[in-house]
Amino acid sequence: MRKFLLVVLCLFLASCVLTVKPEDKLKTGDYIGGVKILATNFNAKSQKLKQ
């Protein structure tokens, strides 16, 4: 039972780590979603550069 719960917990945590790439959104035709991800990544990188 504990091993099963451990496996479920690990799978849950692994699913949270997976990131959505802009390329994935663009391939599916969600251009607005892809651009939003790119803009978010750009803003985060520019904030790091300012520091």
Side-chain angles (χ1 to χ4, degrees):
M1 181 69 177
R2 288 183 185 183
K3 289 182 181 180
F4 176 74
L5 290 175
L6 181 63
V7 169
V8 170
L9 178 64
C10 289
L11 290 174
F12 176 72
L13 292 175
S15 68
C16 294
V17 173
L18 298 175
T19 59
V20 178
K21 296 180 184 176
E23 293 87 7
D24 298 336
K25 291 280 190 178
L26 294 174
K27 285 180 185 176
T28 59
D30 185 12
Y31 300 110
I32 295 174
V35 171
K36 284 182 181 179
I37 293 172
L38 283 173
T40 303
N41 291 344
F42 179 76
N43 288 336
K45 288 181 181 179
S46 66
Q47 291 296 327
K48 287 181 183 178
L49 289 174
K50 287 181 182 178
Q51 295 175 355

Coordinates of all heavy atoms in Angstrom, one line a residue:
M1 N 0.8 -1.2 0.0 CA 0.0 0.0 0.0 C 0.9 1.3 0.0 O 0.6 2.2 -0.7 CB -0.9 0.0 1.2 CG -1.9 1.1 1.3 SD -3.1 1.0 0.0 CE -4.1 2.4 0.4
R2 N 1.9 1.3 0.8 CA 2.8 2.4 0.9 C 3.5 2.6 -0.5 O 3.7 3.8 -0.9 CB 3.8 2.3 2.0 CG 3.2 2.4 3.3 CD 4.3 2.3 4.4 NE 3.7 2.4 5.7 CZ 4.3 2.4 6.8 NH1 5.7 2.3 6.8 NH2 3.7 2.4 8.0
K3 N 3.9 1.5 -1.1 CA 4.6 1.7 -2.4 C 3.7 2.2 -3.4 O 4.1 3.1 -4.2 CB 5.1 0.3 -2.8 CG 6.3 -0.2 -2.0 CD 6.8 -1.5 -2.6 CE 8.0 -2.0 -1.7 NZ 8.5 -3.3 -2.2
F4 N 2.4 1.8 -3.4 CA 1.5 2.4 -4.3 C 1.3 3.9 -4.1 O 1.3 4.6 -5.1 CB 0.1 1.6 -4.2 CG -1.0 2.2 -5.0 CD1 -0.9 2.0 -6.4 CD2 -2.0 3.0 -4.5 CE1 -1.9 2.5 -7.2 CE2 -3.0 3.5 -5.3 CZ -3.0 3.3 -6.7
L5 N 1.1 4.3 -2.9 CA 1.0 5.7 -2.6 C 2.2 6.5 -3.0 O 2.1 7.6 -3.5 CB 0.7 5.9 -1.1 CG -0.7 5.5 -0.7 CD1 -0.8 5.6 0.8 CD2 -1.8 6.2 -1.4
L6 N 3.4 5.9 -2.8 CA 4.6 6.5 -3.2 C 4.7 6.7 -4.7 O 5.1 7.8 -5.2 CB 5.8 5.7 -2.7 CG 7.2 6.3 -3.0 CD1 7.4 7.7 -2.4 CD2 8.3 5.4 -2.6
V7 N 4.3 5.7 -5.5 CA 4.3 5.8 -6.9 C 3.3 6.9 -7.4 O 3.6 7.7 -8.3 CB 3.9 4.4 -7.5 CG1 3.7 4.5 -9.0 CG2 5.1 3.4 -7.3
V8 N 2.1 6.9 -6.8 CA 1.1 7.9 -7.2 C 1.6 9.3 -6.8 O 1.5 10.2 -7.7 CB -0.2 7.6 -6.4 CG1 -1.2 8.8 -6.6 CG2 -0.8 6.3 -6.9
L9 N 2.3 9.5 -5.7 CA 2.8 10.8 -5.3 C 3.9 11.2 -6.3 O 4.0 12.4 -6.7 CB 3.4 10.7 -3.9 CG 4.0 12.0 -3.4 CD1 3.0 13.1 -3.3 CD2 4.7 11.8 -2.1
C10 N 4.8 10.3 -6.7 CA 5.8 10.6 -7.6 C 5.3 11.0 -9.0 O 5.8 11.9 -9.6 CB 6.8 9.4 -7.8 SG 7.8 9.1 -6.3
L11 N 4.3 10.3 -9.4 CA 3.6 10.6 -10.7 C 3.0 12.0 -10.7 O 3.0 12.7 -11.6 CB 2.6 9.5 -11.1 CG 3.2 8.2 -11.5 CD1 2.1 7.2 -11.8 CD2 4.1 8.3 -12.8
F12 N 2.3 12.3 -9.6 CA 1.7 13.6 -9.4 C 2.8 14.7 -9.4 O 2.6 15.7 -10.1 CB 0.9 13.6 -8.1 CG 0.3 15.0 -7.8 CD1 -0.8 15.4 -8.5 CD2 0.9 15.8 -6.8 CE1 -1.3 16.7 -8.3 CE2 0.3 17.0 -6.6 CZ -0.8 17.5 -7.3
L13 N 3.9 14.5 -8.7 CA 4.9 15.5 -8.7 C 5.6 15.7 -10.1 O 5.9 16.8 -10.5 CB 6.0 15.2 -7.7 CG 5.5 15.3 -6.2 CD1 6.6 14.8 -5.3 CD2 5.1 16.7 -5.9
A14 N 5.7 14.6 -10.8 CA 6.3 14.6 -12.1 C 5.4 15.4 -13.1 O 5.9 16.1 -14.0 CB 6.6 13.2 -12.6
S15 N 4.1 15.2 -12.9 CA 3.2 15.9 -13.8 C 3.2 17.4 -13.6 O 3.0 18.2 -14.5 CB 1.8 15.4 -13.7 OG 1.3 15.7 -12.4
C16 N 3.5 17.8 -12.4 CA 3.6 19.3 -12.1 C 4.9 19.9 -12.6 O 4.9 21.1 -12.9 CB 3.6 19.5 -10.5 SG 2.0 19.0 -9.8
V17 N 5.9 19.1 -12.8 CA 7.2 19.6 -13.3 C 7.2 19.8 -14.8 O 7.9 20.7 -15.3 CB 8.3 18.6 -12.9 CG1 9.6 19.0 -13.5 CG2 8.4 18.6 -11.4
L18 N 6.4 19.1 -15.5 CA 6.4 19.2 -17.0 C 5.9 20.6 -17.4 O 4.9 21.1 -16.9 CB 5.5 18.1 -17.6 CG 5.9 16.7 -17.3 CD1 4.8 15.8 -17.9 CD2 7.2 16.4 -17.9
T19 N 6.7 21.2 -18.2 CA 6.4 22.6 -18.7 C 5.8 22.5 -20.1 O 6.1 21.6 -20.8 CB 7.6 23.5 -18.6 OG1 8.6 22.9 -19.5 CG2 8.2 23.6 -17.3
V20 N 5.0 23.5 -20.4 CA 4.5 23.6 -21.7 C 5.4 24.5 -22.5 O 5.7 25.7 -22.1 CB 3.0 24.2 -21.6 CG1 2.5 24.4 -23.0 CG2 2.2 23.3 -20.8
K21 N 5.8 24.0 -23.7 CA 6.7 24.8 -24.5 C 5.9 25.6 -25.5 O 4.8 25.1 -26.0 CB 7.7 23.9 -25.2 CG 8.6 23.1 -24.3 CD 9.5 22.2 -25.1 CE 10.4 21.4 -24.2 NZ 11.2 20.5 -25.0
P22 N 6.4 26.7 -25.9 CA 5.6 27.5 -27.0 C 5.5 26.7 -28.3 O 4.5 26.8 -29.0 CB 6.4 28.8 -27.2 CG 7.4 28.8 -26.1 CD 7.5 27.5 -25.5
E23 N 6.5 25.9 -28.6 CA 6.5 25.1 -29.8 C 5.3 24.1 -29.8 O 4.7 23.9 -30.8 CB 7.8 24.3 -30.0 CG 9.0 25.2 -30.3 CD 9.6 25.7 -29.0 OE1 9.3 25.2 -27.9 OE2 10.5 26.5 -29.1
D24 N 5.0 23.6 -28.6 CA 3.9 22.6 -28.5 C 2.6 23.3 -28.7 O 1.7 22.8 -29.4 CB 3.9 22.0 -27.1 CG 5.1 21.2 -26.8 OD1 5.8 20.7 -27.7 OD2 5.4 21.0 -25.6
K25 N 2.4 24.5 -28.2 CA 1.2 25.3 -28.5 C 1.1 25.6 -29.9 O 0.0 25.6 -30.5 CB 1.2 26.6 -27.6 CG 1.1 26.4 -26.1 CD -0.4 26.1 -25.8 CE -0.5 26.1 -24.3 NZ -1.9 25.9 -23.9
L26 N 2.2 26.0 -30.6 CA 2.1 26.4 -32.0 C 1.8 25.3 -32.8 O 1.1 25.4 -33.8 CB 3.4 27.1 -32.4 CG 3.7 28.4 -31.7 CD1 5.1 28.9 -32.1 CD2 2.7 29.5 -32.1
K27 N 2.3 24.1 -32.5 CA 2.0 22.9 -33.3 C 0.5 22.5 -33.3 O 0.0 22.0 -34.2 CB 2.8 21.7 -32.8 CG 4.3 21.8 -33.2 CD 5.1 20.6 -32.7 CE 6.5 20.7 -33.1 NZ 7.3 19.6 -32.5
T28 N -0.1 22.8 -32.1 CA -1.5 22.4 -32.0 C -2.4 23.5 -32.5 O -3.6 23.4 -32.6 CB -1.9 22.2 -30.5 OG1 -1.6 23.3 -29.7 CG2 -1.1 21.0 -30.0
G29 N -1.9 24.7 -32.9 CA -2.6 25.7 -33.5 C -3.1 26.8 -32.5 O -3.8 27.7 -32.9
D30 N -2.6 26.7 -31.3 CA -2.9 27.7 -30.3 C -1.8 28.8 -30.3 O -0.9 28.8 -29.5 CB -3.0 27.1 -28.9 CG -3.5 28.0 -27.8 OD1 -3.9 29.1 -28.2 OD2 -3.3 27.7 -26.6
Y31 N -2.0 29.7 -31.3 CA -0.9 30.7 -31.5 C -0.9 31.8 -30.4 O 0.1 32.2 -30.0 CB -1.2 31.4 -32.8 CG -1.1 30.4 -34.0 CD1 -2.2 30.1 -34.7 CD2 0.1 29.9 -34.3 CE1 -2.1 29.2 -35.8 CE2 0.2 28.9 -35.3 CZ -0.9 28.6 -36.1 OH -0.8 27.7 -37.1
I32 N -2.1 32.1 -29.9 CA -2.2 33.1 -28.8 C -1.5 32.5 -27.5 O -0.8 33.2 -26.8 CB -3.6 33.5 -28.5 CG1 -4.2 34.2 -29.7 CG2 -3.7 34.4 -27.3 CD1 -5.6 34.5 -29.7
G33 N -1.8 31.3 -27.2 CA -1.1 30.6 -26.0 C 0.4 30.6 -26.2 O 1.1 30.8 -25.2
G34 N 0.9 30.3 -27.4 CA 2.3 30.2 -27.6 C 3.0 31.6 -27.4 O 4.0 31.7 -26.8
V35 N 2.3 32.6 -27.9 CA 2.8 34.0 -27.8 C 2.8 34.4 -26.3 O 3.8 35.0 -25.8 CB 2.1 35.0 -28.6 CG1 2.5 36.4 -28.4 CG2 2.3 34.6 -30.1
K36 N 1.8 34.0 -25.6 CA 1.7 34.3 -24.1 C 2.9 33.7 -23.4 O 3.5 34.3 -22.5 CB 0.4 33.9 -23.5 CG -0.8 34.8 -23.9 CD -2.0 34.4 -23.3 CE -3.2 35.3 -23.7 NZ -4.5 34.9 -23.1
I37 N 3.2 32.4 -23.7 CA 4.3 31.7 -23.0 C 5.6 32.4 -23.4 O 6.4 32.6 -22.5 CB 4.3 30.3 -23.4 CG1 3.1 29.6 -22.8 CG2 5.5 29.6 -22.9 CD1 2.9 28.1 -23.3
L38 N 5.8 32.8 -24.6 CA 7.0 33.5 -25.0 C 7.1 34.8 -24.3 O 8.2 35.1 -23.8 CB 7.0 33.7 -26.5 CG 7.3 32.5 -27.4 CD1 7.1 32.8 -28.9 CD2 8.7 32.0 -27.2
A39 N 6.1 35.5 -24.2 CA 6.1 36.8 -23.5 C 6.4 36.7 -22.0 O 7.2 37.4 -21.5 CB 4.8 37.6 -23.7
T40 N 5.9 35.7 -21.4 CA 6.1 35.4 -20.0 C 7.6 35.0 -19.8 O 8.3 35.5 -18.9 CB 5.2 34.3 -19.5 OG1 3.9 34.6 -19.7 CG2 5.5 34.0 -18.0
N41 N 8.1 34.2 -20.7 CA 9.5 33.8 -20.5 C 10.4 35.0 -20.8 O 11.5 35.1 -20.1 CB 9.9 32.7 -21.5 CG 9.2 31.4 -21.2 OD1 8.7 31.2 -20.1 ND2 9.1 30.5 -22.1
F42 N 10.1 35.8 -21.7 CA 10.9 37.0 -22.0 C 10.9 38.0 -20.9 O 12.0 38.5 -20.5 CB 10.4 37.7 -23.3 CG 11.1 38.9 -23.6 CD1 12.4 38.8 -24.2 CD2 10.6 40.2 -23.4 CE1 13.1 40.0 -24.5 CE2 11.3 41.3 -23.7 CZ 12.6 41.2 -24.3
N43 N 9.8 38.2 -20.3 CA 9.7 39.1 -19.1 C 10.5 38.5 -17.9 O 11.2 39.3 -17.2 CB 8.3 39.3 -18.7 CG 7.5 40.2 -19.7 OD1 8.1 41.0 -20.4 ND2 6.2 40.0 -19.7
A44 N 10.5 37.2 -17.7 CA 11.2 36.6 -16.6 C 12.7 36.8 -16.8 O 13.5 37.1 -15.9 CB 10.8 35.2 -16.4
K45 N 13.1 36.5 -18.1 CA 14.6 36.7 -18.3 C 15.0 38.1 -18.3 O 16.2 38.4 -17.8 CB 14.9 36.1 -19.7 CG 14.8 34.6 -19.8 CD 15.1 34.0 -21.1 CE 14.9 32.5 -21.1 NZ 15.2 31.9 -22.5
S46 N 14.2 39.0 -18.7 CA 14.6 40.4 -18.6 C 14.7 40.9 -17.2 O 15.6 41.7 -16.9 CB 13.7 41.3 -19.4 OG 12.4 41.3 -18.8
Q47 N 13.9 40.4 -16.3 CA 13.9 40.8 -14.9 C 15.2 40.2 -14.3 O 15.8 40.9 -13.4 CB 12.7 40.2 -14.1 CG 11.4 40.9 -14.5 CD 11.4 42.4 -14.1 OE1 12.0 42.8 -13.1 NE2 10.7 43.2 -14.9
K48 N 15.6 39.0 -14.7 CA 16.9 38.4 -14.2 C 18.1 39.2 -14.6 O 19.0 39.4 -13.9 CB 17.0 37.0 -14.6 CG 16.1 36.0 -13.9 CD 16.3 34.6 -14.4 CE 15.4 33.7 -13.7 NZ 15.5 32.3 -14.2
L49 N 18.0 39.7 -15.8 CA 19.1 40.5 -16.4 C 19.3 41.9 -15.7 O 20.4 42.4 -15.5 CB 19.0 40.7 -17.9 CG 19.2 39.4 -18.7 CD1 18.9 39.7 -20.2 CD2 20.7 38.9 -18.6
K50 N 18.1 42.4 -15.3 CA 18.2 43.7 -14.6 C 18.8 43.6 -13.2 O 19.4 44.6 -12.7 CB 16.8 44.3 -14.5 CG 16.2 44.8 -15.8 CD 14.8 45.3 -15.5 CE 14.2 45.8 -16.9 NZ 12.8 46.3 -16.7
Q51 N 18.7 42.5 -12.6 CA 19.3 42.3 -11.3 C 20.8 42.1 -11.4 O 21.7 42.3 -11.2 CB 18.7 41.1 -10.6 CG 17.3 41.3 -10.3 CD 16.7 40.0 -9.7 OE1 17.3 39.0 -9.6 NE2 15.4 40.1 -9.3

